Amino acid sequence: MHLDAVQRVLGVLLMVFSITMLPPALVSLAAGDGVYEAFLITFAVLLAMGGLLWLPVRRSRRELRTRDGFFIVAMFWIVLGAAGALPLLIDQESTLAPVDALFESISGLTTTGATAIVGIDDLPLSVRYYRQQLQWLGGMGIIILAVAILPMLGIGGMQLYRAELPGPVKDAKLTPRIAQTAKALWYIYIGLTVVCALAYWLAGMTPFDAVGHAFSTIATGGFSTHDESIGYFDSPLIQMIAVVFMLISAVNYSLHFMVWRRRSTEPWRSDPELRVFLGVVVVMTVLILGGLLIYQAAHDLPRGETWHHAIFQVVSFATTTGYTSVPHYTWPAFLPVLLLFLAFMGGCANSTSGGLKVVRVLLLWRQGSREIMRLIHPQAQIPVKIGARPVNERVIDAVWGFFATYVVLFTVLMLTLMAMGLDQVTAFSATASGLNNLGPALGDVAANFAAVGAGPKLVMCVAMIMGRLEIFTLLVLFTPAFWRR
Amino acid sequence: MHLDAVQRVLGVLLMVFSITMLPPALVSLAAGDGVYEAFLITFAVLLAMGGLLWLPVRRSRRELRTRDGFFIVAMFWIVLGAAGALPLLIDQESTLAPVDALFESISGLTTTGATAIVGIDDLPLSVRYYRQQLQWLGGMGIIILAVAILPMLGIGGMQLYRAELPGPVKDAKLTPRIAQTAKALWYIYIGLTVVCALAYWLAGMTPFDAVGHAFSTIATGGFSTHDESIGYFDSPLIQMIAVVFMLISAVNYSLHFMVWRRRSTEPWRSDPELRVFLGVVVVMTVLILGGLLIYQAAHDLPRGETWHHAIFQVVSFATTTGYTSVPHYTWPAFLPVLLLFLAFMGGCANSTSGGLKVVRVLLLWRQGSREIMRLIHPQAQIPVKIGARPVNERVIDAVWGFFATYVVLFTVLMLTLMAMGLDQVTAFSATASGLNNLGPALGDVAANFAAVGAGPKLVMCVAMIMGRLEIFTLLVLFTPAFWRR
Ligand SMILES: [K+]
Ligand SMILES: [K+]
């Protein structure tokens, strides 16, 4: 590794992150909730730490190599995850244990949205704002990393995504220089957030709630300023606004970029991954709605509200946002589990959503089908296709490698949680929720993670970071080959 | 398909199977339990049905094609599974519902060993014998199909197992003609059964129990002539005998064949798959034993007995036999789930055990590791190896296709069981138990499957047959391409 280049980047990262402490400090001063000191101290500490890292190497002109990229991407969530916990710890009034503060910060930045806090409505206004902002910043980081950096590293088949996939993605010629690309993506991300906030506000949210929920909607994060999540507003209109923006946020940002550039919706309309994703959402909505109507008698939900709760929960889970409009875990056991399984697929590649990603699931499915055809026609050459064009076998290999690692890691995390005393339903759903950056789980942690101890919370932190880093980015750091020259 | 050739084979199959009704009839006459009529009627019915199928096409000389093989293999378990339920239905004294009889027969023939019967000790002696014999016959069928027929069909990478894998398997030149190979394998299978029965008898079992348990041990079936399974005998010696023969039965029968031919244990000692399998068994025994000792205080097991229960349960689950020496589901929740996960791997290829098979898991693992290495060295050519030699990429493709289909099928079966009202733990463990041909599950079906309705039992029948057929054999029959000329 080029240590000085890495050190320079980390220093800059911390200094930039320190600035994000100023908006919540302002909120605190405006609301008079007294937490501003904690944010200002954090600002000073992070600025100083970043500066100390940056100063000695500020004149270094060593370029980053691909290998350094892994390290920086991993540090992004680990270092900033720890840094983000600081104000929650420093605040004198806060009763959060250190592990809870870390959990909340990592859950926020990874856009998972699981919470260990009960009584969000009673928190100081600036802390409620800060949690939402963490998600928004995390989502912004993901977009840059996913579109501009991860493809260079070659994680789980995505290295070849742009070069290999047919049609829009290839033709797009995303602005080659990272800085320019990043700027364009940020404009889109910020633009979507503004429009989403306005829509929420017009639908009846307070400006505070509108901005807060726009932050966590566009990041597919799922944090809310209320314990009851979106259910607090009890408004089908707000739910449908959330549905629209959650879906937009779960789409490949390269597509948004092209739509914006070309002033044409053709990139959306012709993307095979998006088509499959929307197809799954429609089918699952029908399934969940059917299930709810059948079990209606056993459930106290008024019939007239069933349809929008069904749509909302399916979109919330399929995009791995994790908002809830209703305590879905009280539905008949089959339905919450079905929702949870949606998050394994997750949204489209290069979006803020979690899970395996639709394009990977699609590739696995196509290759499974090919093997059945090969049994019948052992001599035939059958390519695996996405859209109309065949996919390079190397990409398929990489996706399989990703999937296998995912399955092994899932098993290890789940068994670790069980060894710590969690029951099977809780351990399974918590692992799924963390690794897919979903948020809600089932069992003892259906409503929040307050009921489990420090051990399981730390395991969840690992799961959330692993999920966000697409596993490989972190795993690769543990191989001896990585550290060899 | 060559319908007449398929019809001929099915006819012969039914006639041969009808003969297997005679031993339990004899047992019934000797014991005077009055069930002999049911067995004799079944004998006559199956002989007549087989004859009617066989007679019109007995002179047909059409050869079977590969494609017909899929159909015959699928029919083997479906038709014989249904046929095997007949005596349990015909018996006037039997109180089994039709679905329970079918469940018991399919569970027996697929060597799953899950039971819907409570009160096995009180059944007529001949029925207790019949259940054990079903397992033994199923195991015999698997060995022939796995070693002699499935490789020709190319299921899940096994088509190339012999041609591609290094060392012993390739050098062995298994007798090329199926009939001869089958005969050699049967000798081994029968020989192992005889030695196992003698060992059980010398260790204190009655001759009836010794033969019955030898049947289900060598088939890695798991049926017992007692409700308490092996726990009934309360004998560490018997448990250790079972451990030895379960392990032997979970080894690739091609290896046994070579050891027998060459009068040398070298094929065992040099097989990479076997080495990994035994390694996993040792590591898991240590884990389970450690877990048990830690939780000892919370459990009423006397400390002195812990070690042999740990070894026994690990081997029983790793080989997918599914015997229990102790109600393991009363152990702290972590341990039974860990045991259950062992069955996902299962034993070695070409054995009677279920699960994914060690060699497939090993390939998935190796390919996952390769992808991590590829991230660090994107240009390097890194072959996937088993033992010393590289594996053909086509085999890896086939194994991935198998794995993907397995995961999808697992999810569908589990959600179906939950939609039928089973809770998550029960549905998960039942699916795992059925699809891996293990037998025991957790939750409501921890002790037996009597507590669930007809629907879940039929789903379990599908799972057991799917598992035994390595999924693809059955799936392929549902593709339009299969039925095209
Ligand atoms: K989320
Ligand atoms: K079994």
Side-chain angles (χ1 to χ4, degrees):
Chain A
M1 286 209 309
H2 291 167
L3 260 185
D4 44 358
V6 169
Q7 189 179 333
R8 198 179 67 219
V9 172
L10 275 182
V12 172
L13 208 58
L14 275 177
M15 289 192 286
V16 171
F17 189 62
S18 75
I19 298 170
T20 69
M21 297 299 152
L22 300 180
L26 288 176
V27 172
S28 174
L29 286 169
D33 64 13
V35 193
Y36 67 95
E37 268 189 19
F39 290 113
L40 291 180
I41 294 173
T42 308
F43 164 69
V45 168
L46 295 183
L47 189 66
M49 281 175 59
L52 284 175
L53 280 173
W54 173 76
L55 269 177
V57 291
R58 71 187 181 284
R59 291 186 201 287
S60 159
R61 282 289 160 266
R62 297 281 283 276
E63 290 295 314
L64 284 175
R65 292 180 312 167
T66 307
R67 205 178 282 192
D68 306 326
F70 289 108
F71 194 78
I72 288 174
V73 171
M75 284 305 112
F76 184 96
W77 269 282
I78 296 171
V79 172
L80 297 194
L86 283 182
L88 303 174
L89 285 175
I90 295 171
D91 177 22
Q92 298 287 328
E93 304 293 312
S94 166
T95 56
L96 278 185
V99 67
D100 290 335
L102 187 70
F103 181 91
E104 208 68 16
S105 169
I106 288 178
S107 173
L109 269 180
T110 58
T111 78
T112 306
T115 186
I117 300 177
V118 189
I120 293 167
D121 296 84
D122 306 327
L123 290 176
L125 207 70
S126 59
V127 173
R128 289 163 74 195
Y129 170 83
Y130 177 66
R131 291 172 74 245
Q132 304 303 113
Q133 185 190 279
L134 273 181
Q135 297 229 299
W136 192 67
L137 294 171
M140 190 173 259
I142 293 156
I143 292 301
I144 305 308
L145 291 170
V147 179
I149 298 182
L150 284 183
M152 297 200 313
L153 305 184
I155 305 295
M158 294 306 158
Q159 77 274 35
L160 300 169
Y161 190 81
R162 227 183 305 170
E164 292 296 333
L165 278 198
V169 183
K170 188 168 190 177
D171 297 338
K173 296 200 186 64
L174 275 178
T175 337
R177 292 179 52 114
I178 291 178
Q180 257 181 286
T181 314
K183 217 192 275 179
L185 293 170
W186 274 337
Y187 286 150
I188 297 172
Y189 188 77
I190 294 169
L192 285 173
T193 310
V194 171
V195 178
C196 180
L198 283 174
Y200 278 144
W201 178 62
L202 291 173
M205 280 194 193
T206 65
F208 175 80
D209 279 345
V211 170
H213 285 89
F215 278 172
S216 60
T217 303
I218 300 301
T220 64
F223 267 165
S224 171
T225 50
H226 301 285
D227 281 320
E228 284 184 82
S229 187
I230 294 289
Y232 171 86
F233 303 101
D234 197 16
S235 154
L237 179 59
I238 285 178
Q239 287 171 25
M240 288 309 111
I241 292 171
V243 161
V244 169
F245 284 95
M246 288 191 288
L247 285 176
I248 291 176
S249 304
V251 173
N252 190 331
Y253 264 69
S254 314
L255 295 183
H256 293 327
F257 179 76
M258 281 182 285
V259 166
W260 179 63
R261 270 281 181 84
R262 299 195 196 159
R263 309 284 186 269
S264 152
T265 58
E266 195 274 332
W268 285 334
R269 282 181 283 116
S270 62
D271 186 54
E273 186 186 22
L274 182 53
R275 204 174 304 142
V276 171
F277 177 62
L278 293 178
V280 169
V281 166
V282 170
V283 169
M284 290 298 293
T285 304
V286 171
L287 274 181
I288 294 281
L289 188 56
L292 275 181
L293 290 174
I294 290 170
Y295 286 101
Q296 198 86 53
H299 186 57
D300 58 359
L301 202 69
R303 182 160 312 191
E305 297 187 356
T306 308
W307 68 270
H308 60 81
H309 286 307
I311 297 175
F312 183 84
Q313 288 303 146
V314 167
V315 170
S316 172
F317 277 68
T319 60
T320 73
T321 306
Y323 282 144
T324 48
S325 64
V326 71
H328 68 288
Y329 46 87
T330 62
W331 291 354
F334 168 62
L335 299 174
V337 174
L338 199 60
L339 284 173
L340 195 66
F341 272 80
L342 266 176
F344 282 99
M345 183 173 83
C348 301
N350 299 350
S351 75
T352 56
S353 64
L356 290 165
K357 306 287 181 299
V358 177
V359 70
R360 288 207 186 95
V361 173
L362 190 58
L363 273 177
L364 301 188
W365 175 265
R366 290 277 156 79
Q367 213 245 326
S369 316
R370 171 170 71 172
E371 287 312 310
I372 294 184
M373 290 310 293
R374 273 183 173 170
L375 287 180
I376 303 170
H377 305 290
Q379 305 308 327
Q381 291 293 330
I382 311 168
V384 169
K385 290 181 184 176
I386 295 274
R389 280 197 238 170
V391 178
N392 186 302
E393 296 286 331
R394 185 73 181 256
V395 174
I396 301 175
D397 274 5
V399 172
W400 281 120
F402 177 82
F403 185 57
T405 321
Y406 181 94
V407 171
V408 170
L409 183 65
F410 190 97
T411 310
V412 170
L413 288 172
M414 175 177 159
L415 289 174
T416 308
L417 286 178
M418 290 197 73
M420 289 175 166
L422 270 58
D423 67 80
Q424 196 178 329
V425 170
T426 306
F428 174 82
S429 60
T431 307
S433 187
L435 208 49
N436 296 326
N437 297 122
L438 170 66
L442 298 169
D444 296 342
V445 292
N448 56 63
F449 281 78
V452 298
K457 276 183 194 137
L458 288 175
V459 173
M460 280 297 289
C461 288
V462 172
M464 294 188 283
I465 288 178
M466 280 284 200
R468 198 70 278 172
L469 290 175
E470 312 245 301
I471 302 168
F472 272 65
T473 321
L474 204 54
L475 272 192
V476 93
L477 300 183
F478 290 106
T479 56
F482 179 83
W483 296 99
R484 253 178 249 136
R485 276 194 58 83
Chain B
M1 286 208 308
H2 292 168
L3 261 186
D4 45 358
V6 169
Q7 190 181 332
R8 196 179 68 218
V9 172
L10 275 182
V12 171
L13 209 57
L14 275 177
M15 289 192 287
V16 171
F17 190 62
S18 73
I19 298 170
T20 69
M21 297 299 153
L22 300 180
L26 289 176
V27 172
S28 175
L29 286 170
D33 63 14
V35 193
Y36 67 95
E37 266 190 18
F39 290 113
L40 291 179
I41 293 172
T42 308
F43 165 69
V45 169
L46 294 183
L47 189 65
M49 280 174 60
L52 285 176
L53 279 174
W54 173 76
L55 268 178
V57 290
R58 71 189 183 282
R59 290 186 201 289
S60 158
R61 283 289 159 265
R62 298 280 283 277
E63 288 295 315
L64 283 175
R65 292 179 313 164
T66 307
R67 206 177 281 194
D68 306 326
F70 289 106
F71 193 78
I72 289 174
V73 171
M75 285 304 113
F76 183 96
W77 269 282
I78 297 171
V79 172
L80 297 195
L86 284 183
L88 303 174
L89 285 175
I90 295 171
D91 177 22
Q92 298 288 328
E93 303 292 314
S94 166
T95 56
L96 278 186
V99 66
D100 289 336
L102 186 69
F103 180 90
E104 208 69 15
S105 169
I106 288 178
S107 173
L109 269 180
T110 58
T111 77
T112 305
T115 186
I117 300 176
V118 189
I120 294 168
D121 296 84
D122 307 327
L123 290 176
L125 207 69
S126 59
V127 173
R128 290 163 75 197
Y129 169 83
Y130 177 66
R131 289 171 75 246
Q132 305 303 113
Q133 185 190 278
L134 273 180
Q135 296 230 299
W136 193 67
L137 294 171
M140 190 172 257
I142 294 156
I143 292 300
I144 304 309
L145 291 171
V147 179
I149 299 181
L150 285 183
M152 297 201 314
L153 305 185
I155 306 295
M158 293 307 158
Q159 77 275 35
L160 300 169
Y161 191 82
R162 226 184 304 171
E164 293 295 332
L165 278 196
V169 182
K170 187 164 191 179
D171 297 338
K173 296 198 187 62
L174 276 178
T175 335
R177 293 179 51 113
I178 292 179
Q180 256 181 289
T181 314
K183 215 192 273 178
L185 293 170
W186 273 337
Y187 285 150
I188 297 172
Y189 189 78
I190 294 169
L192 284 173
T193 310
V194 170
V195 177
C196 181
L198 283 174
Y200 278 145
W201 177 61
L202 289 174
M205 280 193 192
T206 65
F208 175 80
D209 280 345
V211 170
H213 285 89
F215 278 172
S216 59
T217 303
I218 300 301
T220 64
F223 267 165
S224 171
T225 50
H226 301 285
D227 282 321
E228 282 184 83
S229 187
I230 293 289
Y232 171 87
F233 303 102
D234 197 16
S235 154
L237 179 59
I238 285 177
Q239 288 170 27
M240 289 308 112
I241 292 171
V243 161
V244 169
F245 284 95
M246 288 191 287
L247 285 176
I248 292 176
S249 305
V251 172
N252 189 329
Y253 264 70
S254 314
L255 295 183
H256 292 328
F257 180 76
M258 282 180 283
V259 166
W260 178 63
R261 269 279 182 83
R262 298 193 198 158
R263 308 284 186 273
S264 152
T265 58
E266 195 274 334
W268 286 335
R269 281 181 285 115
S270 62
D271 186 55
E273 185 186 22
L274 181 54
R275 203 174 305 140
V276 170
F277 178 62
L278 294 178
V280 169
V281 166
V282 169
V283 169
M284 291 299 292
T285 304
V286 171
L287 274 181
I288 294 280
L289 188 56
L292 276 180
L293 290 174
I294 291 169
Y295 286 101
Q296 198 86 53
H299 186 59
D300 57 358
L301 200 70
R303 182 161 312 192
E305 298 187 355
T306 307
W307 68 270
H308 59 82
H309 287 306
I311 297 175
F312 183 84
Q313 288 303 147
V314 167
V315 170
S316 172
F317 277 67
T319 61
T320 74
T321 306
Y323 283 145
T324 49
S325 64
V326 72
H328 69 289
Y329 45 87
T330 62
W331 290 355
F334 168 63
L335 298 174
V337 174
L338 199 60
L339 284 173
L340 195 65
F341 272 80
L342 266 177
F344 282 98
M345 182 173 82
C348 301
N350 299 349
S351 75
T352 55
S353 63
L356 291 165
K357 306 289 180 301
V358 177
V359 71
R360 288 206 186 97
V361 173
L362 189 58
L363 272 177
L364 301 189
W365 175 266
R366 290 277 156 80
Q367 213 246 325
S369 316
R370 171 169 71 172
E371 287 313 309
I372 294 184
M373 291 309 292
R374 273 183 174 171
L375 287 179
I376 304 171
H377 305 290
Q379 305 307 328
Q381 291 293 330
I382 313 168
V384 169
K385 291 179 183 177
I386 296 274
R389 280 197 236 171
V391 178
N392 187 303
E393 295 287 329
R394 185 73 180 256
V395 174
I396 301 174
D397 274 6
V399 172
W400 281 120
F402 178 83
F403 185 57
T405 320
Y406 180 94
V407 171
V408 170
L409 183 65
F410 190 96
T411 310
V412 170
L413 289 171
M414 175 178 160
L415 288 174
T416 308
L417 286 178
M418 290 197 73
M420 289 174 165
L422 269 56
D423 68 78
Q424 196 179 331
V425 171
T426 305
F428 174 82
S429 61
T431 308
S433 187
L435 208 49
N436 295 326
N437 297 121
L438 170 66
L442 298 169
D444 297 342
V445 291
N448 56 63
F449 281 79
V452 298
K457 276 183 194 137
L458 288 175
V459 173
M460 280 295 290
C461 288
V462 173
M464 293 188 285
I465 288 178
M466 279 284 198
R468 197 70 278 173
L469 290 176
E470 312 245 299
I471 302 168
F472 271 67
T473 320
L474 203 54
L475 272 192
V476 95
L477 299 184
F478 290 104
T479 56
F482 179 83
W483 297 101
R484 254 178 247 137
R485 278 192 58 83

